[in-house]
mmCIF file of all heavy atoms in Angstrom:
data_model
loop_
_atom_site.group_PDB
_atom_site.id
_atom_site.type_symbol
_atom_site.label_atom_id
_atom_site.label_comp_id
_atom_site.label_asym_id
_atom_site.label_seq_id
_atom_site.Cartn_x
_atom_site.Cartn_y
_atom_site.Cartn_z
ATOM 1 N N LEU A 230 15.630 18.441 9.284
ATOM 2 C CA LEU A 230 16.948 18.218 9.814
ATOM 3 C C LEU A 230 17.414 16.800 9.662
ATOM 4 O O LEU A 230 18.595 16.552 9.494
ATOM 5 C CB LEU A 230 17.007 18.596 11.317
ATOM 6 C CG LEU A 230 16.854 20.058 11.668
ATOM 7 C CD1 LEU A 230 17.064 20.239 13.203
ATOM 8 C CD2 LEU A 230 17.969 20.925 10.911
ATOM 9 N N ALA A 231 16.476 15.885 9.712
ATOM 10 C CA ALA A 231 16.840 14.449 9.596
ATOM 11 C C ALA A 231 15.670 13.725 8.928
ATOM 12 O O ALA A 231 14.475 14.150 9.077
ATOM 13 C CB ALA A 231 17.068 13.803 10.980
ATOM 14 N N ALA A 232 15.965 12.715 8.125
ATOM 15 C CA ALA A 232 14.907 11.942 7.393
ATOM 16 C C ALA A 232 15.474 10.617 6.987
ATOM 17 O O ALA A 232 16.723 10.397 6.919
ATOM 18 C CB ALA A 232 14.487 12.732 6.125
ATOM 19 N N VAL A 233 14.504 9.703 6.755
ATOM 20 C CA VAL A 233 14.900 8.367 6.296
ATOM 21 C C VAL A 233 13.750 7.778 5.436
ATOM 22 O O VAL A 233 12.575 8.194 5.647
ATOM 23 C CB VAL A 233 15.197 7.390 7.472
ATOM 24 C CG1 VAL A 233 13.966 7.109 8.222
ATOM 25 C CG2 VAL A 233 15.931 6.136 7.015
ATOM 26 N N VAL A 234 14.065 6.932 4.507
ATOM 27 C CA VAL A 234 13.077 6.148 3.734
ATOM 28 C C VAL A 234 13.399 4.729 3.905
ATOM 29 O O VAL A 234 14.569 4.296 3.632
ATOM 30 C CB VAL A 234 13.044 6.587 2.258
ATOM 31 C CG1 VAL A 234 11.991 5.663 1.541
ATOM 32 C CG2 VAL A 234 12.645 8.051 2.085
ATOM 33 N N ILE A 235 12.407 3.880 4.310
ATOM 34 C CA ILE A 235 12.696 2.445 4.528
ATOM 35 C C ILE A 235 11.694 1.648 3.737
ATOM 36 O O ILE A 235 10.476 1.966 3.627
ATOM 37 C CB ILE A 235 12.620 2.130 5.991
ATOM 38 C CG1 ILE A 235 13.835 2.649 6.752
ATOM 39 C CG2 ILE A 235 12.428 0.679 6.296
ATOM 40 C CD1 ILE A 235 13.878 2.383 8.223
ATOM 41 N N ASP A 236 12.216 0.582 3.099
ATOM 42 C CA ASP A 236 11.374 -0.327 2.355
ATOM 43 C C ASP A 236 10.715 -1.274 3.382
ATOM 44 O O ASP A 236 11.384 -1.937 4.240
ATOM 45 C CB ASP A 236 12.220 -1.105 1.383
ATOM 46 C CG ASP A 236 11.391 -2.280 0.677
ATOM 47 O OD1 ASP A 236 10.286 -1.973 0.180
ATOM 48 O OD2 ASP A 236 11.908 -3.409 0.635
ATOM 49 N N GLU A 237 9.388 -1.446 3.297
ATOM 50 C CA GLU A 237 8.688 -2.319 4.245
ATOM 51 C C GLU A 237 9.146 -3.756 4.240
ATOM 52 O O GLU A 237 9.456 -4.424 5.230
ATOM 53 C CB GLU A 237 7.202 -2.211 4.065
ATOM 54 C CG GLU A 237 6.460 -3.107 5.172
ATOM 55 C CD GLU A 237 4.944 -3.178 4.789
ATOM 56 O OE1 GLU A 237 4.554 -3.335 3.625
ATOM 57 O OE2 GLU A 237 4.155 -3.125 5.771
ATOM 58 N N ALA A 238 9.114 -4.343 3.023
ATOM 59 C CA ALA A 238 9.360 -5.851 2.863
ATOM 60 C C ALA A 238 10.749 -6.268 3.319
ATOM 61 O O ALA A 238 10.914 -7.270 3.887
ATOM 62 C CB ALA A 238 9.093 -6.216 1.393
ATOM 63 N N SER A 239 11.748 -5.430 2.997
ATOM 64 C CA SER A 239 13.119 -5.768 3.320
ATOM 65 C C SER A 239 13.718 -5.092 4.561
ATOM 66 O O SER A 239 14.701 -5.595 5.122
ATOM 67 C CB SER A 239 14.060 -5.558 2.098
ATOM 68 O OG SER A 239 14.088 -4.111 1.858
ATOM 69 N N GLY A 240 13.101 -3.988 4.902
ATOM 70 C CA GLY A 240 13.647 -3.170 6.000
ATOM 71 C C GLY A 240 14.899 -2.379 5.531
ATOM 72 O O GLY A 240 15.543 -1.811 6.334
ATOM 73 N N ALA A 241 15.185 -2.350 4.290
ATOM 74 C CA ALA A 241 16.351 -1.706 3.753
ATOM 75 C C ALA A 241 16.166 -0.147 3.811
ATOM 76 O O ALA A 241 15.133 0.376 3.529
ATOM 77 C CB ALA A 241 16.638 -2.190 2.336
ATOM 78 N N VAL A 242 17.252 0.478 4.095
ATOM 79 C CA VAL A 242 17.315 1.940 4.105
ATOM 80 C C VAL A 242 17.545 2.454 2.652
ATOM 81 O O VAL A 242 18.553 2.147 2.031
ATOM 82 C CB VAL A 242 18.312 2.538 5.071
ATOM 83 C CG1 VAL A 242 18.419 4.070 4.891
ATOM 84 C CG2 VAL A 242 18.047 2.186 6.498
ATOM 85 N N LEU A 243 16.562 3.192 2.086
ATOM 86 C CA LEU A 243 16.744 3.703 0.696
ATOM 87 C C LEU A 243 17.194 5.148 0.650
ATOM 88 O O LEU A 243 17.735 5.596 -0.377
ATOM 89 C CB LEU A 243 15.415 3.589 -0.026
ATOM 90 C CG LEU A 243 14.656 2.246 0.047
ATOM 91 C CD1 LEU A 243 13.402 2.235 -0.822
ATOM 92 C CD2 LEU A 243 15.646 1.118 -0.442
ATOM 93 N N TYR A 244 17.085 5.882 1.673
ATOM 94 C CA TYR A 244 17.502 7.269 1.862
ATOM 95 C C TYR A 244 17.866 7.559 3.280
ATOM 96 O O TYR A 244 17.122 7.110 4.182
ATOM 97 C CB TYR A 244 16.370 8.222 1.365
ATOM 98 C CG TYR A 244 16.671 9.705 1.618
ATOM 99 C CD1 TYR A 244 17.469 10.405 0.730
ATOM 100 C CD2 TYR A 244 16.262 10.336 2.761
ATOM 101 C CE1 TYR A 244 17.705 11.774 0.982
ATOM 102 C CE2 TYR A 244 16.545 11.572 3.038
ATOM 103 C CZ TYR A 244 17.253 12.379 2.114
ATOM 104 O OH TYR A 244 17.532 13.703 2.362
ATOM 105 N N ASP A 245 18.873 8.336 3.478
ATOM 106 C CA ASP A 245 19.325 8.625 4.874
ATOM 107 C C ASP A 245 19.926 10.093 4.934
ATOM 108 O O ASP A 245 20.855 10.325 4.209
ATOM 109 C CB ASP A 245 20.409 7.616 5.288
ATOM 110 C CG ASP A 245 21.027 7.856 6.625
ATOM 111 O OD1 ASP A 245 20.934 8.987 7.163
ATOM 112 O OD2 ASP A 245 21.594 6.943 7.205
ATOM 113 N N LYS A 246 19.291 10.895 5.691
ATOM 114 C CA LYS A 246 19.850 12.242 5.986
ATOM 115 C C LYS A 246 19.871 12.297 7.525
ATOM 116 O O LYS A 246 18.860 12.552 8.150
ATOM 117 C CB LYS A 246 18.953 13.356 5.396
ATOM 118 C CG LYS A 246 19.485 14.774 5.873
ATOM 119 C CD LYS A 246 18.646 15.903 5.383
ATOM 120 C CE LYS A 246 19.219 17.220 5.840
ATOM 121 N NZ LYS A 246 18.395 18.382 5.381
ATOM 122 N N ASP A 247 21.033 12.089 8.077
ATOM 123 C CA ASP A 247 21.198 12.106 9.493
ATOM 124 C C ASP A 247 20.131 11.221 10.198
ATOM 125 O O ASP A 247 19.539 11.717 11.269
ATOM 126 C CB ASP A 247 21.134 13.540 10.066
ATOM 127 C CG ASP A 247 22.415 14.297 9.670
ATOM 128 O OD1 ASP A 247 23.509 13.726 9.561
ATOM 129 O OD2 ASP A 247 22.308 15.535 9.414
ATOM 130 N N ALA A 248 19.885 10.074 9.614
ATOM 131 C CA ALA A 248 18.802 9.273 10.173
ATOM 132 C C ALA A 248 19.031 8.712 11.535
ATOM 133 O O ALA A 248 18.073 8.213 12.164
ATOM 134 C CB ALA A 248 18.509 8.055 9.146
ATOM 135 N N HIS A 249 20.263 8.738 11.952
ATOM 136 C CA HIS A 249 20.591 8.273 13.362
ATOM 137 C C HIS A 249 20.815 9.311 14.350
ATOM 138 O O HIS A 249 21.283 9.067 15.448
ATOM 139 C CB HIS A 249 21.774 7.285 13.267
ATOM 140 C CG HIS A 249 21.524 6.127 12.374
ATOM 141 N ND1 HIS A 249 20.760 5.024 12.695
ATOM 142 C CD2 HIS A 249 21.962 5.914 11.068
ATOM 143 C CE1 HIS A 249 20.695 4.172 11.677
ATOM 144 N NE2 HIS A 249 21.405 4.689 10.689
ATOM 145 N N LEU A 250 20.474 10.523 13.938
ATOM 146 C CA LEU A 250 20.569 11.704 14.856
ATOM 147 C C LEU A 250 19.381 11.688 15.813
ATOM 148 O O LEU A 250 18.270 11.493 15.430
ATOM 149 C CB LEU A 250 20.608 13.001 14.074
ATOM 150 C CG LEU A 250 20.730 14.294 14.824
ATOM 151 C CD1 LEU A 250 22.063 14.434 15.499
ATOM 152 C CD2 LEU A 250 20.511 15.515 13.931
ATOM 153 N N ARG A 251 19.694 11.823 17.135
ATOM 154 C CA ARG A 251 18.643 11.877 18.127
ATOM 155 C C ARG A 251 18.068 13.193 18.315
ATOM 156 O O ARG A 251 18.725 14.157 18.671
ATOM 157 C CB ARG A 251 19.195 11.284 19.503
ATOM 158 C CG ARG A 251 19.856 9.948 19.368
ATOM 159 C CD ARG A 251 20.575 9.579 20.644
ATOM 160 N NE ARG A 251 19.614 9.118 21.682
ATOM 161 C CZ ARG A 251 19.619 9.677 22.860
ATOM 162 N NH1 ARG A 251 20.442 10.660 23.256
ATOM 163 N NH2 ARG A 251 18.756 9.253 23.788
ATOM 164 N N LEU A 252 16.747 13.284 18.060
ATOM 165 C CA LEU A 252 16.041 14.515 18.018
ATOM 166 C C LEU A 252 14.706 14.362 18.803
ATOM 167 O O LEU A 252 14.209 13.160 18.890
ATOM 168 C CB LEU A 252 15.708 15.059 16.626
ATOM 169 C CG LEU A 252 16.966 15.471 15.805
ATOM 170 C CD1 LEU A 252 16.557 15.683 14.348
ATOM 171 C CD2 LEU A 252 17.603 16.762 16.368
ATOM 172 N N PRO A 253 14.065 15.410 19.296
ATOM 173 C CA PRO A 253 12.718 15.318 19.826
ATOM 174 C C PRO A 253 11.663 14.822 18.739
ATOM 175 O O PRO A 253 11.647 15.433 17.690
ATOM 176 C CB PRO A 253 12.346 16.678 20.343
ATOM 177 C CG PRO A 253 13.675 17.432 20.483
ATOM 178 C CD PRO A 253 14.560 16.857 19.328
ATOM 179 N N PRO A 254 10.998 13.736 18.990
ATOM 180 C CA PRO A 254 10.001 13.275 17.954
ATOM 181 C C PRO A 254 8.603 13.850 18.191
ATOM 182 O O PRO A 254 7.765 13.579 17.240
ATOM 183 C CB PRO A 254 10.002 11.815 18.329
ATOM 184 C CG PRO A 254 10.153 11.698 19.791
ATOM 185 C CD PRO A 254 11.049 12.838 20.199
ATOM 186 N N ALA A 255 8.348 14.516 19.212
ATOM 187 C CA ALA A 255 6.884 15.036 19.481
ATOM 188 C C ALA A 255 5.964 13.861 19.494
ATOM 189 O O ALA A 255 6.293 12.848 20.078
ATOM 190 C CB ALA A 255 6.583 16.160 18.515
ATOM 191 N N SER A 256 4.835 14.007 18.848
ATOM 192 C CA SER A 256 3.794 13.052 18.951
ATOM 193 C C SER A 256 3.981 11.775 18.159
ATOM 194 O O SER A 256 3.179 10.847 18.235
ATOM 195 C CB SER A 256 2.374 13.657 18.517
ATOM 196 O OG SER A 256 1.952 14.493 19.520
ATOM 197 N N LEU A 257 5.102 11.666 17.480
ATOM 198 C CA LEU A 257 5.449 10.357 16.852
ATOM 199 C C LEU A 257 5.695 9.328 17.953
ATOM 200 O O LEU A 257 5.664 8.151 17.725
ATOM 201 C CB LEU A 257 6.686 10.457 15.979
ATOM 202 C CG LEU A 257 6.628 11.511 14.872
ATOM 203 C CD1 LEU A 257 7.864 11.355 13.936
ATOM 204 C CD2 LEU A 257 5.364 11.488 14.065
ATOM 205 N N THR A 258 5.917 9.846 19.179
ATOM 206 C CA THR A 258 6.028 8.905 20.373
ATOM 207 C C THR A 258 4.790 8.048 20.546
ATOM 208 O O THR A 258 4.913 6.879 20.956
ATOM 209 C CB THR A 258 6.124 9.782 21.636
ATOM 210 O OG1 THR A 258 7.269 10.661 21.528
ATOM 211 C CG2 THR A 258 6.255 9.006 22.865
ATOM 212 N N LYS A 259 3.606 8.563 20.059
ATOM 213 C CA LYS A 259 2.409 7.795 20.250
ATOM 214 C C LYS A 259 2.265 6.568 19.460
ATOM 215 O O LYS A 259 1.410 5.668 19.744
ATOM 216 C CB LYS A 259 1.168 8.759 19.993
ATOM 217 C CG LYS A 259 1.066 9.887 20.941
ATOM 218 C CD LYS A 259 0.119 10.933 20.467
ATOM 219 C CE LYS A 259 0.055 12.068 21.574
ATOM 220 N NZ LYS A 259 -0.261 13.372 21.035
ATOM 221 N N ILE A 260 3.256 6.403 18.482
ATOM 222 C CA ILE A 260 3.175 5.168 17.782
ATOM 223 C C ILE A 260 3.609 4.000 18.749
ATOM 224 O O ILE A 260 3.000 2.905 18.687
ATOM 225 C CB ILE A 260 4.275 5.205 16.629
ATOM 226 C CG1 ILE A 260 3.835 6.248 15.557
ATOM 227 C CG2 ILE A 260 4.393 3.835 15.933
ATOM 228 C CD1 ILE A 260 4.911 6.580 14.585
ATOM 229 N N ALA A 261 4.547 4.260 19.599
ATOM 230 C CA ALA A 261 4.948 3.246 20.637
ATOM 231 C C ALA A 261 3.803 2.991 21.589
ATOM 232 O O ALA A 261 3.535 1.900 21.952
ATOM 233 C CB ALA A 261 6.158 3.669 21.406
ATOM 234 N N THR A 262 3.084 3.983 21.974
ATOM 235 C CA THR A 262 1.922 3.864 22.867
ATOM 236 C C THR A 262 0.837 2.999 22.256
ATOM 237 O O THR A 262 0.236 2.096 22.915
ATOM 238 C CB THR A 262 1.369 5.198 23.291
ATOM 239 O OG1 THR A 262 2.398 6.046 23.925
ATOM 240 C CG2 THR A 262 0.196 5.110 24.208
ATOM 241 N N ALA A 263 0.568 3.228 20.991
ATOM 242 C CA ALA A 263 -0.366 2.361 20.248
ATOM 243 C C ALA A 263 0.036 0.930 20.133
ATOM 244 O O ALA A 263 -0.805 0.074 20.298
ATOM 245 C CB ALA A 263 -0.715 3.054 18.871
ATOM 246 N N ILE A 264 1.338 0.744 19.919
ATOM 247 C CA ILE A 264 1.809 -0.647 19.785
ATOM 248 C C ILE A 264 1.589 -1.415 21.040
ATOM 249 O O ILE A 264 1.038 -2.533 21.039
ATOM 250 C CB ILE A 264 3.355 -0.577 19.425
ATOM 251 C CG1 ILE A 264 3.568 -0.186 18.006
ATOM 252 C CG2 ILE A 264 3.930 -1.976 19.676
ATOM 253 C CD1 ILE A 264 5.047 0.053 17.633
ATOM 254 N N LEU A 265 1.959 -0.828 22.195
ATOM 255 C CA LEU A 265 1.727 -1.547 23.478
ATOM 256 C C LEU A 265 0.181 -1.818 23.711
ATOM 257 O O LEU A 265 -0.097 -2.819 24.279
ATOM 258 C CB LEU A 265 2.280 -0.744 24.603
ATOM 259 C CG LEU A 265 3.853 -0.712 24.632
ATOM 260 C CD1 LEU A 265 4.387 0.275 25.648
ATOM 261 C CD2 LEU A 265 4.478 -2.056 24.854
ATOM 262 N N ALA A 266 -0.649 -0.859 23.383
ATOM 263 C CA ALA A 266 -2.003 -1.129 23.517
ATOM 264 C C ALA A 266 -2.541 -2.268 22.706
ATOM 265 O O ALA A 266 -3.372 -3.120 23.077
ATOM 266 C CB ALA A 266 -2.870 0.155 23.266
ATOM 267 N N LEU A 267 -2.063 -2.258 21.425
ATOM 268 C CA LEU A 267 -2.455 -3.426 20.484
ATOM 269 C C LEU A 267 -1.908 -4.709 20.899
ATOM 270 O O LEU A 267 -2.523 -5.768 20.771
ATOM 271 C CB LEU A 267 -2.079 -3.028 19.116
ATOM 272 C CG LEU A 267 -2.827 -1.910 18.434
ATOM 273 C CD1 LEU A 267 -2.209 -1.494 17.105
ATOM 274 C CD2 LEU A 267 -4.292 -2.234 18.237
ATOM 275 N N GLU A 268 -0.686 -4.735 21.462
ATOM 276 C CA GLU A 268 -0.022 -5.940 21.857
ATOM 277 C C GLU A 268 -0.673 -6.560 23.182
ATOM 278 O O GLU A 268 -0.851 -7.756 23.233
ATOM 279 C CB GLU A 268 1.488 -5.692 22.131
ATOM 280 C CG GLU A 268 2.373 -5.633 20.904
ATOM 281 C CD GLU A 268 3.782 -5.565 21.322
ATOM 282 O OE1 GLU A 268 4.066 -5.103 22.456
ATOM 283 O OE2 GLU A 268 4.610 -5.992 20.508
#
């Protein structure tokens, strides 16, 4: 339903399909949990 491709070095968006649509992320949430633990 939605997708995006981002270049790491520049942060530029290379592809966008409804990339700003708010949807349930499921366990992708855990990326934020891991960040706070590492920080």
Side-chain angles (χ1 to χ4, degrees):
L230 289 185
V233 70
V234 178
I235 286 180
D236 174 49
E237 180 187 44
S239 63
V242 174
L243 308 185
Y244 170 87
D245 177 341
K246 177 184 178 181
D247 290 326
H249 301 281
L250 181 65
R251 301 173 77 233
L252 294 169
S256 285
L257 304 190
T258 302
K259 292 168 181 156
I260 298 169
T262 301
I264 287 173
L265 290 173
L267 290 170
E268 280 187 335

